[in-house]
């Protein structure tokens, strides 16, 4: 699997590869969402954490903008006032697919 490489070293090596491809924001987003779910915040803390992820990866002027369509960005934005832990699930699936079908294939090819 792309993101669940067996070792921390493997993930770090893949992250470095993504940086060289100017695509490390995808893995960073995926990890941020994973951490959000692991921490399982609620109430105002959940809102704050969700907004922070949105600002960093999904807002049009985000520094680390991920490649998801405007419909999905809009759906997430519409849920920011009352988010659930699943708010980023579809975006996480899209990013995973981009990594798996694109960058990860090139990573494997270059590693051999």
């Amino acid at each position: 699997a792309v993101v669940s490489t067996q070792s921390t070293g493997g993930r770090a090596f893949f992250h470095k590869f993504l940086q060289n491809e100017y695509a490390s924001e995808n893995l960073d987003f995926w990890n941020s969402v994973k951490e959000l779910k692991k921490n399982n915040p609620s109430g105002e803390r959940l809102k704050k954490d969700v907004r922070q992820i949105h600002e960093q990866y999904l807002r049009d002027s985000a520094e680390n903008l991920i490649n998801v369509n405007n419909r999905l960005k809009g759906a997430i934005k519409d849920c920011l006032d009352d988010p659930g832990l699943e708010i980023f699930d579809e975006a996480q699936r899209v990013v995973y697919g981009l990594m798996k079908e694109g960058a990860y294939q090139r990573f494997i090819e270059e590693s051999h």
Side-chain angles (χ1 to χ4, degrees), residues 42-82:
S42 60
E44 290 304 312
R45 182 63 199 197
L46 175 60
K47 281 185 188 180
K48 180 178 181 267
D49 292 352
V50 162
R51 284 187 182 279
Q52 186 173 12
I53 291 171
H54 179 265
E55 292 289 310
Q56 188 168 0
Y57 300 106
L58 291 156
R59 186 185 55 174
D60 287 337
S61 59
E63 186 176 322
N64 301 303
L65 186 63
I66 58 170
N67 188 12
V68 296
N69 66 44
N70 287 332
R71 181 202 55 81
L72 181 52
K73 285 184 199 174
I76 291 169
K77 186 176 181 181
D78 289 346
C79 295
L80 289 177
D81 289 332
D82 188 24

Side-chain angles (χ1 to χ4, degrees), residues 2 4 9 21 25 31 34 43 45 50 63 66 73 75 79 81 83 88-89 91-92 97 99:
V2 174
S4 60
E21 291 222 336
E25 67 277 357
N31 284 325
K34 181 180 174 187
R45 182 63 199 197
V50 162
E63 186 176 322
I66 58 170
K73 285 184 199 174
C79 295
D81 289 332
F88 298 117
D89 284 359
Q92 199 175 28
M99 289 189 294

Side-chain angles (χ1 to χ4, degrees), residues 14-55:
F14 182 54
H15 189 267
K16 178 81 171 142
F17 177 82
L18 288 173
Q19 286 176 321
N20 291 336
E21 291 222 336
Y22 302 99
S24 60
E25 67 277 357
N26 292 327
L27 184 57
D28 293 339
F29 169 77
W30 196 93
N31 284 325
S32 292
V33 174
K34 181 180 174 187
E35 190 69 20
L36 173 74
K37 290 177 179 179
K38 182 179 125 196
N39 292 338
N40 196 22
S42 60
E44 290 304 312
R45 182 63 199 197
L46 175 60
K47 281 185 188 180
K48 180 178 181 267
D49 292 352
V50 162
R51 284 187 182 279
Q52 186 173 12
I53 291 171
H54 179 265
E55 292 289 310

